[in-house]
Amino acid sequence: MLRRLRGMLVKEFIQVFRDTRTRTLLFAPPIIQMLIFGYAATLEVRHIPVAALDYDNSQVSRELLSRFTASPYFDVRAYLNDRREIGDLIDRGEVTVALQINGGFAQDLRKGQPARLQVIVDSSNSNTALVAVGYINQIAARYAQEFQRTQLLRTSLFASSQIPSIVLERRPLFNINFDSQWFFVPGVIGNLILVMVVSLTAFAIVREREIGTLEQIMVTPIGRLEFILGKTLPFFLIGLFDTALVSLVGTFWFGVPFRGSIGVLAIGSILFILCMLGIGLFISTISRTQQQAMVSGFFFNMPAITFSGFGTPISSMPEWLQTLTYLNPLRYFLEILRGVYLKGVGLDVLWPQMVGMGLLGSIMLAISVARFQKSLD
Amino acid sequence: MTDHDTIPVLAHGLVKRFGDFVAVDRINLEARTGEVVGFLGPNGSGKSTTIRMLCGLLRPSAGQALVAGFDVAREPEQVRRRIGYMSQKFSLYNDLRVIENIRFFAGMYDVPASLLNERTQWVLDMAGLAGRESTITGTLPGGWKQRLALGCAVLHRPSILFLDEPTSGVDPISRRRFWELIHAMADEGVTVLVTTHYMDEAEYCNRLVLIFQGRIVAAGSPTELKQQAMTGELLLIECDQLGLALDVLQQVPGARDVALFGNALHVVVPDGQTSIPRLRDALSAHGVAVSRIEPIRASLEDVFVSLTARLSDRRT
Ligand SMILES: Nc1ncnc2c1ncn2[C@@H]1O[C@H](COP(=O)(O)OP(=O)(O)OP(=O)(O)O)[C@@H](O)[C@H]1O
Ligand SMILES: [Mg+2]
C-alpha cells in the first residue's frame, strides 16, 4: 500500500519539477496575479469623470461646481453649453456623471426655496453610480449648509451656533483608513488557491486520461484511494505552499496586517484545500478531455467567486442567494482569511466556518471518491 | 499463477453495448496456457473493447468472462494481479526517464524490493534498453518504446498477457524482434492474446480469431482458416486498367471477392479450369489487356477480405 502511494508521489513530483514550464506555472502565477489583483481589485471610486452644464452662470453656481473640481472623487472633464451634448458624452463613456444647474439656481437658494441640481448618471456600473451619487449628495449638502451659514452670519452675528447639525464621527474598527487593499488581499488569497487547486487537480487526472496512462494504471492492482491520494497529495502540498507564498506577499508587499494566528490560518487553509481537491477530483470524473475540464472548472469557479463575498457583500444579495452561499466553501474561507488577517480573531469565533468547510469538504471528497471508478465505462 | 487445469482466458457470450450501439456481440473466446491467440478485425470491429472487458476495464453488458479463473466483472482486482496489458495507445510517461517508468510500474505492481533490481535488469535486457536507462522515454524510437511498454507490462511476471496492437507504427525489423519476445514468453507458458492489423503477424499466432462488427466470423489456426474460408479457388490477375477490370470482374457470374492487391487483382471462383477463359474473355471484351491469370495460394489477407466482404454484402 505505502509503496504504491510512494511510487505515485515520486512520479508526480518528478513530473512537476522536471518541466521548467510546469514549475514556473505553479509558482509564478500566484505571485503575479496577487500583484495584479492587489492593485486592481479595489472598491474605491475616485476621479469620476464629470461634465458640467451651468445655465445659471452665477457666482453661486460656479462656486458649487468648484467644489467638484476640488474633490478627489471627481474630475470635471468638460464644461458644456447645451444639454444635448450630455447623452453623447455618457454613451461614449467619456463621463459617468453630468451635473446640470438650471437658471434661477442662485435666486432660489437665496430665497430659501429648494434649488435644483440635476444629476445625470451612467448607472451601467451600479456600484460606481451609487457611490458617485452619494458623494454628490454630500458635496451639495455641505455647500447648502455653508451657504445658509454665511447668509445667517450676514444677518445676525453669533446665530450660526444655533444651526442644528449632525456631525459624523467615524471610528472605524479594524481597517482605520478604509484601505480597500486590506479588504481585497485576503480575498485574493482565497481566489487564487481556489483556481489553482481546482484546475491543477482536475487537469492532472484528465491529462492522464487523455494520454492513456490512466488506462494503464487502472489495470495495475493499485487501489482507488491510493491513486486518488497519490494524485491529490502533491497538489495539497503545492496548495499549502502557494497559500504561504501569497500570504507573505500580502503581508510584506501590501502591508496587510496579520493580526491573528498562523495556526488558525493553516487549519482554515487545509480545510479549504481539501474542499477544492474534492471539486477538482469531481470535475475530473465528469471530464474526458482537458477542454471539458477547463469549461467545468470555469462553471464552478465563476459562481464560487461571485457568491463568496469577495466583491459584492453577501448581505446585499437576495435572501435565497444568501442561503445558497452557505454551500460555497470560499465564503467560509474568506471569512476566515479576513477574520485572521484584519480582526485577529481565533478559533473561538471562526469555528463555525471551520465546521462548515469540514462538512462540505468531506461530502465533496466522498462523492468524488465514490464516482472515481477504476473503469472506463 | 494459474493452475494448469484452468483455462487462462475463457469468455462466453460476451456483449458490450454503448447506448444502443452493440460494439461486441456475444463473443466466445478461449485461450489455453502458452497459446498465442491473434485477434483480427477491421477498425471499429470491437477488438479493443473485448480486451478491455477481459482486463476488467469495461463492464460486460452481458455474458461472462473468466481470466485466470476469476470473473472479470466480479473480481477485477484478482484478474489485474495476474495479467499484463498493453493498451493500443502508447501509455507510459513520455516525460519520465526509462528507468523511472520501470520503477513506477514496478511500484504499482508491488514488485518486492528484493526482486526490483533483478526485474529491472531483466526488462532492460529484454527491451534492449540497457545503457539507455536515463533516456527520456518520449525521445525513444517507436520500436524501443513499444518494447519498453511490453517490459513494463510484464514486470510482475503475469501469466496472461493482453496486447492491443503492440506493433502499430513500428518498423518491420522491430516488429520481428517484438514477436520474438512474445514467442519467448509463450514458450515459458505465458498465454498471449494479441490484436493486430498486420497479416504477416497473424501467421505467427497459434490460433486466430476473426472479428467483424462485434462478432466472431471465423476462428482456427492460420492453416485451418485458409482451408476453411476459401471455398473455391483464388486467382491472381495481372492486367492494365485495374479500375475498369475490377468493375468488369464483379459482373462476371460466379466470380466473387474481387479485390485489389498491389498492382494485381485477386478473385475467387468456384473452379479455375472453366473460369479462367471466361474471365479472360470478359476482360478483353472491355478492352482490358490481361498479362497473367493463374491460381495462387490464399494468404490470410485473402481469407480476411473474403470473409469481411461476404459479411458486409449480407448486412447492407
Ligand atoms: N466508450 C465508448 N463509447 C461509445 N462507443 C465506443 C466506446 N468505445 C468504443 N466504442 C465503439 O465501439 C466500436 C468498437 O471499438 P473498438 O475500439 O473495440 O474497435 P477496434 O476493433 O479496437 O478498432 P481499431 O482497430 O480501430 O482499434 C467502435 O465503433 C467504437 O466507436
Ligand atoms: Mg482497437
Side-chain angles (χ1 to χ4, degrees):
Chain A
M1 155 88 196
L2 277 179
R3 289 198 47 231
R4 279 200 289 259
L5 181 57
R6 209 185 57 202
M8 281 292 297
L9 291 178
V10 167
K11 183 215 93 185
E12 291 296 325
F13 277 111
I14 291 177
Q15 286 187 308
V16 166
F17 288 103
R18 170 148 308 151
D19 185 25
T20 330
R21 245 188 45 215
T22 327
R23 210 168 38 206
T24 28
L25 267 179
L26 283 179
F27 304 115
I31 302 272
I32 295 169
Q33 286 182 48
M34 179 74 184
L35 294 178
I36 294 175
F37 268 117
Y39 284 117
T42 156
L43 277 180
E44 279 176 300
V45 181
R46 279 164 181 268
H47 302 292
I48 303 164
V50 172
L53 178 57
D54 185 1
Y55 283 128
D56 195 43
N57 212 359
S58 58
Q59 199 204 332
V60 174
S61 66
R62 279 192 300 271
E63 226 177 87
L64 175 60
L65 284 180
S66 73
R67 295 289 168 98
F68 285 91
T69 344
S71 157
Y73 300 112
F74 296 99
D75 278 351
V76 180
R77 294 269 171 86
Y79 292 92
L80 311 178
N81 296 314
D82 191 334
R83 59 171 302 155
R84 277 168 299 190
E85 295 169 65
I86 294 174
D88 191 41
L89 281 176
I90 289 190
D91 284 348
R92 281 187 281 133
E94 280 174 26
V95 300
T96 308
V97 171
L99 300 171
Q100 182 180 336
I101 303 176
N102 288 329
F105 181 80
Q107 226 170 3
D108 286 343
L109 212 55
R110 244 176 252 121
K111 278 193 244 156
Q113 281 171 0
R116 291 181 200 285
L117 169 67
Q118 206 173 327
V119 178
I120 299 114
V121 60
D122 172 4
S123 57
S124 49
N125 182 337
S126 54
N127 181 43
T128 311
L130 279 176
V131 174
V133 172
Y135 288 146
I136 293 171
N137 238 328
Q138 270 180 27
I139 291 179
R142 184 165 314 154
Y143 182 74
Q145 209 177 32
E146 284 172 23
F147 185 84
Q148 199 178 12
R149 186 177 303 168
T150 39
Q151 288 285 84
L152 285 171
L153 274 175
R154 220 173 281 163
T155 45
S156 62
L157 283 169
F158 311 116
S160 69
S161 57
Q162 290 157 11
I163 303 170
S165 66
I166 297 176
V167 177
L168 210 60
E169 207 175 287
R170 303 199 302 185
R171 206 164 63 78
L173 288 173
F174 311 125
N175 186 353
I176 314 236
N177 296 318
F178 292 93
D179 194 333
S180 71
Q181 267 174 6
W182 285 23
F183 175 74
F184 269 110
V185 166
V188 169
I189 298 177
N191 281 4
L192 275 176
I193 305 305
L194 173 132
V195 174
M196 294 285 293
V197 176
V198 170
S199 16
L200 286 178
T201 318
F203 278 134
I205 299 177
V206 175
R207 209 185 77 196
E208 291 222 23
R209 176 167 302 155
E210 230 175 32
I211 60 178
T213 45
L214 190 60
E215 181 168 343
Q216 199 66 47
I217 292 185
M218 279 176 176
V219 290
T220 73
I222 190 172
R224 243 169 1 126
L225 273 177
E226 289 168 312
F227 177 80
I228 291 172
L229 266 179
K231 218 55 208 173
T232 52
L233 207 54
F235 297 107
F236 176 77
L237 297 176
I238 289 169
L240 268 184
F241 181 83
D242 277 345
T243 313
L245 199 66
V246 168
S247 305
L248 286 177
V249 174
T251 312
F252 290 107
W253 185 267
F254 290 108
V256 178
F258 189 89
R259 297 186 171 129
S261 99
I262 293 190
V264 177
L265 182 64
I267 298 175
S269 306
I270 290 173
L271 289 174
F272 182 66
I273 294 173
L274 285 178
C275 294
M276 295 306 105
L277 287 177
I279 304 266
L281 199 57
F282 182 82
I283 291 176
S284 80
T285 64
I286 56 169
S287 317
R288 290 202 171 270
T289 63
Q290 295 189 63
Q291 264 114 324
Q292 286 173 6
M294 204 169 80
V295 175
S296 318
F298 184 76
F299 270 110
F300 166 76
N301 292 347
M302 279 305 285
I305 292 174
T306 314
F307 302 115
S308 63
F310 172 69
T312 322
I314 291 174
S315 56
S316 55
M317 294 174 188
E319 197 108 359
W320 62 273
L321 257 181
Q322 291 193 28
T323 319
L324 273 186
T325 61
Y326 286 109
L327 294 175
N328 183 358
L330 185 58
R331 177 213 158 112
Y332 301 113
F333 190 45
L334 288 191
E335 284 168 353
I336 291 173
L337 280 166
R338 285 175 183 150
V340 170
Y341 262 92
L342 305 179
K343 302 187 193 165
V345 291
L347 279 180
D348 49 335
V349 175
L350 294 173
W351 67 265
Q353 280 84 349
M354 300 283 185
V355 172
M357 285 203 297
L359 280 177
L360 283 176
S362 323
I363 294 171
M364 286 177 217
L365 276 172
I367 293 177
S368 310
V369 170
R371 274 189 58 88
F372 190 92
Q373 291 296 332
K374 271 180 78 182
S375 116
L376 299 171
D377 282 283
Chain B
M1 290 285 138
T2 31
D3 308 331
H4 275 283
D5 48 353
T6 53
I7 298 172
V9 181
L10 190 61
H12 186 72
L14 213 52
V15 175
K16 183 67 197 179
R17 286 186 215 98
F18 295 112
D20 286 340
F21 176 71
V22 184
V24 172
D25 194 3
R26 285 164 288 164
I27 274 188
N28 299 327
L29 205 63
E30 191 183 307
R32 297 188 169 273
T33 307
E35 208 174 24
V36 178
V37 176
F39 211 30
L40 270 62
N43 290 126
S45 53
K47 304 181 296 290
S48 300
T49 307
T50 307
I51 287 200
R52 284 178 173 151
M53 283 192 282
L54 295 176
C55 295
L57 285 171
L58 286 175
R59 268 190 92 79
S61 311
Q64 196 192 31
L66 297 179
V67 171
F70 294 97
D71 188 311
V72 294
R74 287 211 310 268
E75 291 176 289
E77 290 306 329
Q78 293 300 329
V79 172
R80 287 188 185 120
R81 279 170 208 287
R82 293 165 175 83
I83 61 165
Y85 169 62
M86 243 179 98
S87 69
Q88 182 166 352
K89 219 161 152 188
F90 177 73
S91 49
L92 301 184
Y93 294 95
N94 274 321
D95 50 348
L96 292 192
R97 298 179 196 285
V98 167
I99 190 77
E100 288 163 349
N101 264 308
I102 296 178
R103 293 226 179 94
F104 174 71
F105 282 100
M108 294 305 107
Y109 279 113
D110 250 340
V111 173
S114 54
L115 290 177
L116 184 62
N117 282 336
E118 179 208 317
R119 292 282 172 85
T120 307
Q121 203 51 49
W122 174 68
V123 164
L124 286 171
D125 290 340
M126 182 195 83
L129 282 166
R132 293 261 199 157
E133 292 87 341
S134 33
T135 308
I136 298 287
T137 306
T139 64
L140 288 175
W144 301 56
K145 276 189 183 178
Q146 292 305 89
R147 289 201 299 270
L148 177 61
L150 177 66
C152 289
V154 297
L155 273 165
H156 55 308
R157 296 291 192 108
S159 57
I160 303 166
L161 202 48
F162 294 102
L163 308 174
D164 197 355
E165 292 190 34
T167 55
S168 64
V170 169
D171 69 71
I173 297 180
S174 301
R175 268 169 55 199
R176 171 158 311 181
R177 178 141 182 218
F178 196 92
W179 275 91
E180 281 166 9
L181 292 176
I182 293 180
H183 278 286
M185 283 190 251
D187 289 343
E188 288 172 23
V190 177
T191 307
V192 183
L193 187 67
V194 54
T195 74
T196 178
H197 281 298
Y198 299 108
M199 291 303 150
D200 56 332
E201 291 188 346
E203 309 264 3
Y204 296 137
C205 299
N206 303 123
R207 216 153 49 77
L208 293 175
V209 175
L210 262 60
I211 176 170
F212 183 67
Q213 296 184 351
R215 294 198 188 165
I216 292 182
V217 292
S221 71
T223 333
E224 280 168 4
L225 272 186
K226 284 182 227 168
Q227 286 165 357
Q228 227 179 68
M230 301 308 289
T231 50
E233 218 168 326
L234 181 69
L235 302 179
L236 170 95
I237 302 176
E238 279 178 14
C239 59
D240 61 0
Q241 304 182 68
L242 288 171
L244 174 62
L246 194 89
D247 291 338
V248 173
L249 290 173
Q250 270 163 350
Q251 306 306 321
V252 177
R256 57 183 169 81
D257 305 338
V258 189
L260 203 59
F261 273 73
N263 52 3
L265 292 166
H266 286 193
V267 58
V268 179
V269 291
D271 170 30
Q273 288 304 333
T274 55
S275 299
I276 290 177
R278 286 227 319 273
L279 293 180
R280 199 186 283 277
D281 291 347
L283 286 170
S284 48
H286 286 82
V288 177
V290 178
S291 48
R292 188 148 80 110
I293 294 194
E294 62 186 33
I296 52 164
R297 273 192 53 204
S299 69
L300 270 175
E301 198 157 351
D302 294 303
V303 175
F304 198 67
V305 168
S306 142
L307 277 167
T308 50
R310 232 175 287 164
L311 285 161
S312 323
D313 286 350
R314 209 180 295 160
R315 296 205 179 176
T316 48

